[in-house]
Amino acid sequence: MNAIYFDHAATSPMHPEAVQAYVAAAGAGPGNPSSLHAFGRAARSRVTAARDAIAGLLRCRPDELVFTGGGTESDNAALFGAARAMRARDERRTGIVTTAIEHHAVLHACDQLEAEGFALTVLPVDETGRVSAEAAAAAIGPTTAVVSVMAGNNEVGTLQPYAEIGALARAQGAVMHVDAVQAFGYEPIDLTALPVDLLSLSAHKAGGPQGVGALYVRAGTPWQPLLFGGSQERKRRAGTENVAGIAAFAAAAKLAADEREARRAHAADVRGALLRALAAELGPDAFAVNGDPRPEGSLPHILNVSFHGVSNETLLMNLDLAGVAASGGSACTSGSLQPSHVLAAMGLAPHFCRNAVRFSFGLGNTTAEAEKTAKIIATITSRLRNR
Ligand SMILES: Cc1ncc(COP(=O)(O)O)c(C=O)c1O
């Protein structure tokens, strides 16, 4: 089967150099970075080198990075850590402000914080999936503890005004968290210039391995750890480090940063080719693009499309049978596709939500694959309509 993988936003293939870095670290012999002997010191030096490399890319201090078990853990650690620390400093600081289109790692953590007595405000978004800085300004005040706004959305790609909102949060003395899991590798992130206190990354969205990520914690940010039981990561994340995963994360992150412009152009090419081919094969009225249509308003590697009259579940199943991997603009819970909270927040009619498919692009994809996929979709949709 000549498979086509258009689901890079779910997980990206590991870059061969990241695999090499992983194998080199995993094969180097035993070594717990906390052990004082030579084996331990060798493992520790791998973690230190990786931390230095990633800090260099983000322009932060190495000791401001905490390695985690991925994006979900980074988001949870950011929100619980900052909310609890802020309230411990000042009991009036109980406000959490976030947006309706965050990943569930943020939204469900916020729900849990609400259950613990924090006051949650979930900001709405416009029809392109963007929150407004004005709405954020109205919601952020002197009792706000944490503001969490993602850099770029994982379902529709829409970029968010997180830097503007970060400045508003700062002005009110609140902690600013940014989920940059999808944006990393596509958008520049310079932490010397951004009003951001906490930032989440995940290796496997950028050519690194699954199960490893990082949380940036700006020096001096009120924040407390989520995990206890060891002094790893300067007592900020207990547990033996994933040494090979961290080494591979650094290799992937370096490549992603070095090749950012080329990767952006490549993803935009494949995205554009798919859109053009869909219009040619199906007709321009057979589908609608969800999100911000302007390239400058969106991550280049994500395309969310609603196909009129075809449920995404049926289309995705048929695409899978034809060797094309894409995903619903929705979470898959107990084997069934749930309507997407992102599309619902954008005000899409329920049938548009049920028809939405996310294609996401990355290394290895070609415009020929995009054209072939459009032909396959045309065959599937006409077969379904003629049934
Ligand atoms: C925006 C965003 N945040 C967080 C996550 C969770 O990351 P991980 O899979 O590393 O736990 C994802 C994964 O899809 C994501 O897209």
Side-chain angles (χ1 to χ4, degrees):
M1 184 170 71
N2 241 344
I4 297 176
Y5 187 74
F6 279 165
D7 203 11
H8 289 250
T11 197
S12 60
M14 258 175 95
H15 193 287
E17 287 186 34
V19 174
Q20 264 178 24
Y22 190 96
V23 170
N32 184 325
S34 299
S35 301
L36 297 178
H37 48 60
F39 294 87
R41 290 198 304 276
R44 172 169 293 268
S45 76
R46 287 183 193 276
V47 174
T48 302
R51 194 189 314 278
D52 289 349
I54 297 174
L57 302 173
L58 299 171
R59 300 196 66 204
C60 67
R61 282 170 27 188
D63 64 3
E64 292 176 314
L65 285 180
V66 179
F67 287 117
T68 66
T72 301
E73 185 189 321
S74 296
D75 285 343
N76 275 265
L79 285 153
F80 284 101
R84 289 173 181 163
M86 287 292 276
R87 189 165 66 174
R89 279 188 172 194
D90 177 351
E91 63 185 18
R92 287 163 305 173
R93 291 262 181 195
T94 57
I96 312 279
V97 177
T98 190
T99 81
I101 47 83
E102 299 300 310
H103 190 273
H104 281 142
V106 165
L107 286 176
H108 290 179
C110 287
D111 289 344
Q112 185 57 36
L113 283 165
E114 190 178 32
E116 292 180 15
F118 286 89
L120 178 62
T121 305
V122 180
L123 301 172
V125 293
D126 66 15
E127 69 284 359
T128 71
R130 180 170 296 107
V131 68
S132 79
E134 291 72 30
I140 300 168
T143 60
T144 305
V146 187
V147 178
S148 182
V149 177
M150 70 197 329
N153 181 261
N154 49 300
E155 291 192 25
V156 292
T158 305
L159 294 171
Q160 304 299 325
Y162 69 92
E164 244 178 296
I165 296 174
L168 296 166
R170 282 276 174 83
Q172 294 290 349
V175 171
M176 180 68 192
H177 168 246
V178 174
D179 176 338
V181 165
Q182 290 292 341
F184 180 66
Y186 287 101
E187 292 295 312
I189 297 171
D190 176 353
L191 289 167
T192 60
L194 287 168
V196 169
D197 304 304
L198 302 166
L199 183 123
S200 302
L201 297 177
S202 174
H204 74 111
K205 310 289 182 174
Q210 296 170 341
V212 57
L215 177 65
Y216 159 75
V217 184
R218 187 181 291 277
T221 302
W223 181 81
Q224 61 191 49
L226 202 56
L227 301 183
F228 296 89
S231 50
Q232 291 89 354
E233 299 296 286
R234 294 170 180 256
K235 295 198 173 158
R236 293 171 301 177
R237 200 273 188 180
T240 302
E241 299 87 340
N242 176 357
V243 178
I246 289 168
F249 178 17
K254 187 168 176 334
L255 284 160
D258 288 350
E259 298 172 359
R260 191 178 65 238
E261 284 314 313
R263 287 190 192 185
R264 284 182 63 87
H266 170 254
D269 260 5
V270 180
R271 188 182 188 277
L274 181 56
L275 269 178
R276 278 192 304 279
L278 285 173
E281 295 289 340
L282 304 172
D285 299 329
F287 63 92
V289 176
N290 303 314
D292 189 335
R294 301 166 312 135
E296 68 274 21
S298 189
L299 291 169
H301 67 298
I302 294 178
L303 174 65
N304 193 301
V305 177
S306 286
F307 293 95
H308 303 316
V310 189
S311 91
N312 60 4
E313 214 161 341
T314 311
L315 182 55
L316 287 167
M317 210 170 61
N318 281 278
L319 276 172
D320 185 30
L321 289 172
V324 179
S327 82
S330 24
C332 199
T333 312
S334 1
S336 73
L337 288 166
Q338 300 293 315
S340 152
H341 69 283
V342 173
L343 299 179
M346 288 161 58
L348 257 72
H351 66 276
F352 269 88
C353 297
R354 280 193 302 273
N355 299 346
V357 174
R358 178 186 70 182
F359 302 94
S360 51
F361 316 104
L363 290 181
N365 287 146
T366 63
T367 53
E369 286 181 333
E371 283 149 15
K372 185 171 170 194
T373 298
K375 282 195 168 46
I376 292 170
I377 292 171
T379 310
I380 295 170
T381 51
S382 77
R383 192 171 64 219
L384 291 173
R385 286 201 185 102
N386 293 333
R387 260 212 315 232

